[in-house]
Amino acid sequence: MARRAEETRERIDRTALRLFAEKGVDQATINDIATGAGIAEGTIYRHYKNKEELIWGLFSSNYVALADRLDRLQEAETGLRAKLEAMVSMFCSLYECDPAMFSFLLLVQHRQLPRVTPAMPSPVKVVREVLSQAMERGEIAPRDPEPLTAIVFGIVLQPAVFKVYGRIERPLTELSSQLAEACWMALKPTSIGTG
Amino acid sequence: MARRAEETRERIDRTALRLFAEKGVDQATINDIATGAGIAEGTIYRHYKNKEELIWGLFSSNYVALADRLDRLQEAETGLRAKLEAMVSMFCSLYECDPAMFSFLLLVQHRQLPRVTPAMPSPVKVVREVLSQAMERGEIAPRDPEPLTAIVFGIVLQPAVFKVYGRIERPLTELSSQLAEACWMALKPTSIGTG
Amino acid sequence: MARRAEETRERIDRTALRLFAEKGVDQATINDIATGAGIAEGTIYRHYKNKEELIWGLFSSNYVALADRLDRLQEAETGLRAKLEAMVSMFCSLYECDPAMFSFLLLVQHRQLPRVTPAMPSPVKVVREVLSQAMERGEIAPRDPEPLTAIVFGIVLQPAVFKVYGRIERPLTELSSQLAEACWMALKPTSIGTG
Amino acid sequence: MARRAEETRERIDRTALRLFAEKGVDQATINDIATGAGIAEGTIYRHYKNKEELIWGLFSSNYVALADRLDRLQEAETGLRAKLEAMVSMFCSLYECDPAMFSFLLLVQHRQLPRVTPAMPSPVKVVREVLSQAMERGEIAPRDPEPLTAIVFGIVLQPAVFKVYGRIERPLTELSSQLAEACWMALKPTSIGTG
DNA sequence: CATGAATGAGAGTTCATTCAT
DNA sequence: CATGAATGAACTCTCATTCAT
């Protein structure tokens, strides 16, 4: 009985994520999702209080999961270069494995980020921490880590955006090491004489 | 007579741009815009066929204008490094001068990009062309210019996104040269021994 | 077995009566009642065909029980004055003992009265009969008993309504004899020369 | 143009009042009202923010108007007896002239009374004031005016309720003086020796 | 008898758009 | 050109009710 509810919920989640990514959050209606999941509209409201909570539920769980995966990856590596490569590589393969989830996160971050509390794990926090620690270790010059974090995210996310819009045709995984290299170089600049 | 109409249209454009940036395209209603502009709802339909055309009108004009400005800037400079600095600098000061327009373009690109025809001037085309020509001149190693274009855009746009969400507090203009430097370094990697 | 079912039904009745009185019949949902009673929604439908029957069941049983109590009370007294005092006193103490039931009857009478058949015992019939008999005995002048019945009900019920809305703060029981006196006086008018 | 809007609003008000009285506030839908008024559903929302505001608008305006009429009537008379007769008479003829409005007020008072602010004119306040002043003038014995106010309202309203449910067939106007007399007598009791 | 997941009709509400003035 | 009242399709959400377990 609880089994059935769980399966229904998974169907809702999967369908909603796909439709949100395809059509946008406002354009994908509850009816679209219910039809796509093969259930009644009302059933969605047995699992989520309202549409906004459905969006938030999907966002937060995936966002936190992503942060956790990133954190485990970086911890397993030593040195900024290796950490960057691990994280960038994961991002790229994430896109290939689950492009809908990737697009979804990209799409709704603008609306959902304000709800992210400082206590929640977040990919941004993980990357900033990695950079801060690299500064402490003297791998890169000590600076405000925030712009550097933005730069790293930009280098990885924007090619993904290009991929989504068809401007880039090759699999992102093939670009993985190029992007990691770009991050590495972009971070080094004022560190001349530091390493 | 035509003077009055022109003024009305400008009021519509200015108000719509601001509200779209503030609340999002779907959340800002025709009524919001009309009220904000101090006109009647019906009046908007004297100037735009429908809401979608209003969005497209605002997007395309600003998008093309931005491309033109970028193109003029890069033409005035010699060498990739100088061109990058000029373009990045302009982006940063654009954000400071007209953050609403900047946010608007950032926000609606996902919806409007499919309507951009290959014949239209676009910031993406300008940057890609700059990179292609730098390759031809041997300034950077010849590669697929598309990922590099994405990288450059990422390095500039993502800090702007961080700025919008308050993660970065300093004016973007202060980061301008850091970002240009980051672009420059990120583009160099495999060019070792080429220059 | 039957013991358990009986207890469940009592829980349903008690919870439903309370919630109907608190929130209103339309505002209290089947889910509210089930949750409040600590049972599943479906269980309610093992005891009542549907919500309307639940309301009717609660109304009719309490309405008839009230009529029976009134009737027994008036029968035990001799003379209109004593009968009125007994009935009014009971109404007032009923409010103090079970305000939820009182409010419930007050609230749903508008919807349920049409279902009351002439054969059913009803407080209105009891009071009207008491007045009719008082006329036959010559205690009050013979008149259409219906308006008089309304007057007696008004004198008792409206203070209860005021009590429900907090306009009257003292316990109704303290007003009991004042209300009985008011009924008595209101009934006498044209009986001058009769007593 | 404003003329048309005004006429539409009057149609909404008239239709809504009638349907609310006939079917109840929860049972009468926005669609019912729109259809009954010969307009589109959306039009109602140009005149009222939502259904609750429509109900409140109808209630408060009629409630206040009723209070004002009562107050003018009682001011025109001298002495409690005459004031009561004037007010009761008005109530009764109000029922005959506009039974829908009467039923509506009777029906929704339970839901709307909590929104009535102490500053608003209200029939209850008018009657209580009349009674208080009669006490000051020594016409009736000084007592807590609240229960007496309830008694007066009960004597007048309950016959109206009986009328609505068909228990009383004669026009209320014919009962007017009987009800006023009943009020008068019900108020006198403990005043023996005072007049 | 009890459960609780699922249902789906129907409610209130929004809002881009039209059109007579 | 400008108005603003009216529109109605489309949406989100509620909730009494059913039924397999």
Side-chain angles (χ1 to χ4, degrees), chain D:
Chain D
M1 194 124 278
R3 192 78 198 84
R4 185 175 173 205
E6 197 182 327
E7 193 202 309
T8 300
R9 189 191 180 108
E10 273 164 23
R11 286 247 291 280
I12 294 171
D13 287 1
R14 200 167 39 244
T15 311
L17 196 75
R18 179 172 56 81
L19 290 176
F20 286 153
E22 279 175 16
K23 314 170 69 166
V25 160
D26 290 309
Q27 280 62 44
T29 71
I30 291 291
N31 183 30
D32 289 339
I33 298 167
T35 304
I39 57 171
E41 285 183 72
T43 304
I44 291 177
Y45 292 88
R46 289 231 150 226
H47 295 269
Y48 292 98
K49 202 183 151 217
N50 52 39
K51 190 180 179 181
E52 197 57 36
E53 288 304 306
L54 168 57
I55 299 167
W56 171 246
L58 293 177
F59 176 77
S60 59
S61 60
N62 285 301
Y63 195 68
V64 167
L66 181 58
D68 287 342
R69 288 181 63 185
L70 281 177
D71 202 33
R72 280 199 300 276
L73 280 174
Q74 67 86 11
E75 276 194 338
E77 304 293 334
T78 309
L80 178 57
R81 181 72 200 247
K83 285 172 192 282
L84 282 173
E85 270 169 10
M87 294 192 295
V88 171
S89 166
M90 194 268 271
F91 253 104
C92 292
S93 54
L94 181 69
Y95 179 88
E96 304 298 335
C97 296
D98 198 345
M101 198 250 275
F102 203 98
S103 296
F104 170 74
L105 288 179
L106 229 45
L107 206 67
V108 301
Q109 52 170 329
H110 292 230
R111 267 163 77 147
Q112 302 304 316
L113 250 26
R115 280 187 72 171
V116 174
T117 64
M120 283 172 64
S122 97
V124 172
K125 274 164 60 181
V126 172
V127 170
R128 186 178 43 215
E129 195 57 26
V130 164
L131 296 180
S132 294
Q133 287 169 1
M135 290 178 196
E136 285 176 17
R137 285 194 309 269
E139 283 193 88
I140 55 175
R143 274 167 296 169
D144 181 358
E146 216 63 57
L148 295 188
T149 307
I151 287 171
V152 168
F153 267 92
I155 290 175
V156 178
L157 293 184
Q158 199 65 35
V161 172
F162 271 43
K163 174 79 183 163
V164 170
Y165 292 119
R167 279 189 188 145
I168 290 179
E169 292 181 349
R170 286 156 58 201
L172 274 191
T173 42
E174 290 183 15
L175 295 175
S176 177
S177 54
Q178 183 185 354
L179 299 180
E181 170 87 357
C183 289
W184 174 248
M185 294 304 291
L187 295 173
K188 296 293 288 179
T190 44
S191 68
I192 295 163
T194 311

Side-chain angles (χ1 to χ4, degrees), chain A residues 134-151:
Chain A
M135 290 178 196
E136 286 176 17
R137 286 194 309 269
E139 284 195 87
I140 55 175
R143 275 166 295 169
D144 181 359
E146 216 63 56
L148 295 187
T149 307
I151 287 170

Side-chain angles (χ1 to χ4, degrees), chain A:
Chain A
M1 194 125 277
R3 193 78 198 82
R4 187 175 172 205
E6 199 181 326
E7 194 203 308
T8 300
R9 188 190 180 109
E10 273 164 23
R11 285 246 291 281
I12 293 171
D13 287 1
R14 198 165 43 243
T15 310
L17 196 75
R18 179 172 57 78
L19 291 175
F20 286 153
E22 280 175 15
K23 314 170 69 165
V25 160
D26 289 310
Q27 280 62 45
T29 70
I30 292 291
N31 183 30
D32 290 338
I33 297 167
T35 304
I39 58 172
E41 284 182 67
T43 304
I44 292 177
Y45 292 89
R46 288 229 152 227
H47 295 269
Y48 292 99
K49 200 182 151 220
N50 51 41
K51 190 179 179 182
E52 196 57 38
E53 288 305 305
L54 168 57
I55 299 167
W56 170 247
L58 293 177
F59 176 77
S60 60
S61 61
N62 284 300
Y63 194 69
V64 167
L66 181 57
D68 287 343
R69 288 182 62 184
L70 281 177
D71 201 33
R72 280 197 302 276
L73 280 173
Q74 69 84 12
E75 277 195 338
E77 304 292 334
T78 309
L80 179 57
R81 181 74 199 243
K83 287 175 191 282
L84 282 173
E85 271 171 7
M87 292 192 296
V88 171
S89 166
M90 194 269 271
F91 253 104
C92 292
S93 55
L94 181 69
Y95 178 89
E96 305 296 337
C97 296
D98 198 346
M101 198 249 276
F102 203 97
S103 296
F104 171 73
L105 288 179
L106 230 45
L107 206 65
V108 302
Q109 52 170 328
H110 292 230
R111 266 162 76 146
Q112 302 304 316
L113 250 27
R115 280 187 70 170
V116 174
T117 65
M120 284 172 63
S122 98
V124 171
K125 274 164 61 179
V126 172
V127 169
R128 186 178 45 214
E129 195 56 26
V130 165
L131 296 180
S132 293
Q133 286 168 2
M135 290 178 196
E136 286 176 17
R137 286 194 309 269
E139 284 195 87
I140 55 175
R143 275 166 295 169
D144 181 359
E146 216 63 56
L148 295 187
T149 307
I151 287 170
V152 170
F153 267 93
I155 290 175
V156 180
L157 292 184
Q158 199 65 35
V161 172
F162 272 44
K163 175 78 183 162
V164 171
Y165 292 118
R167 279 190 189 145
I168 290 180
E169 293 181 348
R170 287 158 56 202
L172 274 191
T173 43
E174 288 184 16
L175 295 175
S176 177
S177 54
Q178 183 185 352
L179 299 182
E181 171 86 359
C183 289
W184 175 248
M185 294 303 292
L187 294 173
K188 297 291 289 180
T190 44
S191 70
I192 296 161
T194 311

Side-chain angles (χ1 to χ4, degrees), chain C residues 5 8 40 42-43 46-47:
Chain C
T8 301
T43 304
R46 299 273 158 204
H47 294 269

